[in-house]
Amino acid sequence: MGNMREVVISGSGVFTPPEVITNEELVAAFNAFADKQNALHADAIAAGEREAIPHSDVDFIFKASGIERRYVMDKSGVLDPDVMHPLLRQREDDEPGIMTEMAVDAARQAMAQAGRSGDQIDAVICAASNHERAYPAVAIEVQEALGIEGFAYDMNVACSSATFALQNAADMIRSGSANTVLIVNPEICSGHLEWRDRDCHFIFGDVCTALVVEAMEAATSDHQFEVLGTRLITTFSNNIRNNDGFLRRSRPDGLDDRRDMQFMQNGRQVFKQVVPMVSDLIVDHCTDEGIDPTGLKRLWLHQANKSMNDFIGKKVMGRVPEPDEQPNILQDYANTSSAGSVIAFSHHQAGLESGDLAVICSFGAGYSAGNVIVKKR
Ligand code: CO8
């Protein structure tokens, strides 16, 4: 094999939806829903045949997760106690899909930062935890919208989709099968969240992130991070699960309003099992690359839970990181699945100097985790 090329992330972008839901608004809507349901089923509840739905609580949400608000593609449906999910208009097949629209916005920002036009990109990866249709791939629609030649594909590794895509892109560029790759992560988590379940209704928000990845030798951007290494791990777990899919219709009660057709998790278990898995991944990966993890200048972590990130940050750095060393965005965006660590990366680069080492790290359903070690150029 010839010389492997060095790879850089040369641009990033974030599309933030225009509508925001505060914890106060969210809890008011949930409690109105609970009261309505409990009134509707008052007799069954009184007879002990059914459990009353308990109220949600603003203080609990903030203390348990660190989340204060979330952006969504539609607020009206989510906050309507008679609907409790987003309401999105049906689009014609010949107009851009909603995920494409989000992706194109984020991609244009990333491409501007990288100084790359569509004709200078040769691959698009749409990496997200849900895609709005089975086919054609959303990535190919994004490719066409941006005037990109070459090839495009969708991939899904839930919350770890972006870091897994980064490894794909870096490997393709190193080997020469692509020169410049656009990664987009449109996440409409609101469509997939069970807003009627108190245990998780506060967790997710919507967003789209984008990255441009290219060969270092050709990069001209002022915002370059060299990709020093990537490492991915997966280990099967049912603790974060969703049973929706193309066989739904074929199952006896498949079309019913079943709880498992939306996001489900054992949050406590996830917390306990994923924190050590991710801390070890970052420490081992850095050590194997000859890098002292306590010397990392920034941790752009997956954004699911503030305490989770606090634990991981302390384990990796060997001390409590300063807020700017391990920036969180989940207070404003909630968990945006694969996009979370990329939002943190995109919004919190200030203060880094040439040669500084940092990681972008994601983790979630699968379980899956991905770590990307980068060096500021
Ligand atoms: N208001 C008031 N009380 C509440 C509420 C609420 N909203 N919710 C729960 N409670 C109660 C519970 O009923 C429980 O009561 P009791 O003690 O009487 O049983 C008590 O509060 C404590 O509940 P928990 O044990 O559940 O609370 P935790 O402290 O564990 O916090 C969290 C819950 C915040 C969910 C926490 O466990 C957590 O963040 N865990 C990690 C989760 C995580 O990282 N998950 C990753 C999922 S994302 C992913 O992988 C991507 C999937 C694909 C994307 C899908 C897009 C939609």
Side-chain angles (χ1 to χ4, degrees):
M1 199 186 256
N3 282 341
M4 296 278 250
R5 295 192 296 181
E6 307 296 344
V7 176
V8 294
I9 301 172
S10 54
S12 65
V14 180
F15 163 80
T16 300
E19 301 193 347
V20 69
I21 300 178
T22 64
N23 285 349
E24 287 75 13
E25 290 173 294
L26 182 76
V27 166
F30 180 90
N31 291 348
F33 158 78
D35 291 346
K36 276 189 121 169
Q37 288 295 310
N38 292 341
L40 191 66
H41 301 289
D43 291 345
I45 293 168
E49 293 155 10
R50 192 184 176 108
E51 299 238 340
I53 302 174
H55 274 189
S56 185
D57 181 75
V58 169
D59 291 336
F60 170 86
I61 293 173
F62 180 68
K63 279 197 199 108
S65 69
I67 296 165
E68 295 173 42
R69 62 189 73 86
R70 69 285 297 141
Y71 293 94
V72 289
M73 295 306 285
D74 170 66
K75 166 172 180 169
S76 66
V78 169
L79 293 185
D80 183 339
D82 295 321
V83 180
M84 301 296 278
H85 57 74
L87 295 169
L88 304 171
R89 81 181 165 82
Q90 179 67 55
R91 295 176 181 223
E92 301 298 329
D93 286 356
D94 59 3
E95 62 176 323
I98 187 168
M99 288 180 75
T100 295
E101 213 166 77
M102 297 164 76
V104 164
D105 184 291
R108 289 217 165 99
Q109 297 174 39
M111 289 160 65
Q113 198 175 68
R116 291 283 171 234
S117 50
D119 58 354
Q120 295 172 309
I121 294 173
D122 42 26
V124 180
I125 306 174
C126 179
S129 45
N130 289 282
H131 293 92
E132 68 178 288
R133 59 172 180 268
Y135 40 82
V138 173
I140 303 176
E141 197 181 0
V142 173
Q143 177 194 4
E144 163 148 303
L146 292 169
I148 294 169
E149 289 178 10
F151 63 95
Y153 60 89
D154 290 352
M155 58 179 276
N156 174 1
V157 200
C159 288
S160 294
S161 300
T163 50
F164 278 56
L166 264 170
Q167 174 163 299
N168 279 11
D171 287 352
M172 290 194 289
I173 294 163
R174 286 199 181 101
S175 69
S177 59
N179 293 314
T180 304
V181 181
L182 171 68
I183 298 171
V184 291
N185 318 105
E187 293 285 7
I188 310 182
C189 300
S190 63
H192 187 55
L193 175 58
E194 182 48 90
W195 297 92
R196 297 170 297 181
D197 182 344
R198 172 178 93 143
D199 288 346
C200 68
H201 77 122
F202 54 89
I203 290 181
F204 288 106
D206 302 338
V207 81
C208 180
T209 49
L211 294 170
V212 174
V213 189
E214 61 182 301
M216 188 156 84
E217 62 198 20
T220 57
S221 162
D222 294 332
H223 298 84
Q224 293 180 40
F225 288 87
E226 182 180 353
V227 177
L228 296 184
T230 60
R231 182 173 290 182
L232 314 179
I233 50 170
T234 51
T235 166
F236 187 74
S237 169
N238 272 321
N239 282 328
I240 312 168
R241 190 167 172 114
N242 175 283
N243 283 331
D244 200 358
F246 80 105
L247 294 178
R248 183 167 184 174
R249 181 186 68 169
S250 56
R251 304 242 158 88
D253 59 350
L255 295 178
D256 293 355
D257 181 17
R258 269 169 45 179
R259 176 64 189 88
D260 63 335
M261 294 299 148
Q262 274 72 247
F263 166 86
M264 296 192 301
Q265 75 166 354
N266 300 315
R268 271 281 150 98
Q269 287 289 321
V270 174
F271 195 110
K272 268 197 263 168
Q273 293 167 359
V274 168
V275 165
M277 173 178 152
V278 172
S279 309
D280 289 350
L281 170 66
I282 300 175
V283 169
D284 294 348
H285 185 202
C286 287
T287 307
D288 291 349
E289 297 277 345
I291 291 165
D292 174 5
T294 66
L296 290 169
K297 290 287 187 268
R298 202 143 301 181
L299 306 177
W300 293 293
L301 299 180
H302 177 54
Q303 302 286 316
N305 182 294
K306 182 175 183 302
S307 320
M308 242 174 152
N309 286 2
D310 289 346
F311 273 113
I312 295 166
K314 194 172 168 200
K315 186 85 190 296
V316 169
M317 293 202 145
R319 60 182 169 81
V320 177
E322 299 299 324
D324 63 331
E325 291 179 312
Q326 185 211 288
N328 284 327
I329 56 85
L330 59 84
Q331 64 280 3
D332 298 318
Y333 283 87
N335 183 343
T336 50
S337 197
S338 70
S341 57
V342 184
I343 306 174
F345 168 77
S346 189
H347 285 180
H348 294 280
Q349 297 180 1
L352 288 178
E353 290 174 12
S354 180
D356 282 351
L357 299 174
V359 298
I360 303 170
C361 183
S362 67
F363 41 89
Y367 297 133
S368 59
N371 192 49
V372 180
I373 306 174
V374 297
K375 180 164 87 175
K376 169 96 176 130
R377 289 203 76 210

